[in-house]
Amino acid sequence: MKKFVLVLALALMALVLSCSGGGGGGDDGPDYNYLNNHNANRLNGHTIRWPSTTIYVNASGVPGAQAAFNRWAGSVNFAFTGGSANIIVRMGNPGAGRCGVTLTRWYTSGRIFQALIIINPDQSRCRSGLAATITHEAAHAIGYFGHEDGIMGPTSNGDTEITGKHRGFLSLLYSMAPGTNIAGFLRRKDGSAVSGVAFDPNGRRLIETKHYSR
Ligand SMILES: [Zn+2]
């Protein structure tokens, strides 16, 4: 009987260890694979973000821009200014009849250098509306690359939700320094491949990521 209890205790310990020791795989832990898919795989498995969590935005002349940006506030914060800024937002022609476009320029060190968002003044074909278009483009300007679901879907389909995945992405991205190598945290399956341009800690080479969005 004593032996049975010991075996049971060891089995329980093993169970507890296997649950807590994954280090970034589970549903409730940090999702490094998601971070890789939407950011780090552009820089060979290294994070790309603004150096500061306070990001200056000049969105003068774009109605509702402050509230639209502030939907992402938390892991980062936005300071709105009429002068020089990290992110410039203006009304204009994004091209190809799109709702908006974002050009995010970043160094091979993983530091974002500048971002430009152009919003189409005619949002009549953008089912999610002007505010959602701005919120969507804002995510591209702070490091969310590519598209998936909710407000980060590829088309303006009326879904304006910011999901837990989106929030977790930003929280994880801005908890680490720019250029952090996350390759060691990736699960083998689904999207663990790292690719993209070579990371350079002193990188002064500028890369431009362009999102014709929504
Ligand atoms: Zn987009």
Side-chain angles (χ1 to χ4, degrees):
M1 187 61 191
K2 239 179 180 175
K3 195 175 174 187
F4 172 77
V5 171
L6 183 67
V7 167
L8 189 69
L10 285 172
L12 278 172
M13 268 176 66
L15 192 68
V16 168
L17 284 173
S18 69
C19 287
S20 61
D27 287 340
D28 37 19
D31 192 339
Y32 287 94
N33 280 59
Y34 191 88
L35 179 61
N36 187 50
N37 290 339
H38 289 290
N39 179 279
N41 73 0
R42 276 70 171 172
L43 186 56
N44 202 25
H46 296 72
T47 57
I48 302 161
R49 52 160 275 190
W50 288 99
S52 170
T53 55
T54 298
I55 300 165
Y56 287 82
V57 179
N58 184 335
S60 306
V62 181
Q66 296 195 13
F69 266 77
N70 279 332
R71 288 190 66 196
W72 296 115
S75 307
V76 296
N77 287 289
F78 301 103
F80 297 93
T81 171
S84 64
N86 303 122
I87 301 173
I88 305 287
V89 191
R90 60 179 172 83
M91 302 304 251
N93 181 7
R98 301 303 182 106
C99 305
V101 66
T102 304
L103 298 99
T104 309
R105 302 178 78 199
W106 44 274
Y107 289 113
T108 46
S109 62
R111 290 169 177 78
I112 299 178
F113 169 62
Q114 60 182 198
L116 171 66
I117 295 173
I118 300 172
I119 301 293
N120 194 334
D122 177 7
Q123 296 278 313
S124 59
R125 283 177 298 174
C126 310
R127 280 187 54 207
S128 304
L130 173 63
T133 297
I134 298 169
T135 302
H136 175 102
E137 303 302 339
H140 291 319
I142 57 177
Y144 189 105
F145 299 150
H147 297 111
E148 195 145 326
D149 57 358
I151 198 157
M152 297 318 294
T155 57
S156 184
N157 60 7
D159 187 348
T160 63
E161 186 193 3
I162 290 180
T163 68
K165 286 265 190 194
H166 301 152
R167 297 236 179 255
F169 168 91
L170 275 187
S171 168
L172 184 57
L173 176 60
Y174 281 88
S175 71
M176 298 178 286
T180 299
N181 185 356
I182 64 163
F185 294 105
L186 300 175
R187 301 187 304 279
R188 291 261 172 110
K189 64 182 177 88
D190 71 283
S192 68
V194 292
S195 56
V197 301
F199 170 71
D200 174 0
N202 302 310
R204 303 305 295 167
R205 188 179 153 212
L206 266 178
I207 309 292
E208 185 173 271
T209 302
K210 190 173 196 172
H211 285 95
Y212 279 112
S213 308
R214 313 282 282 178

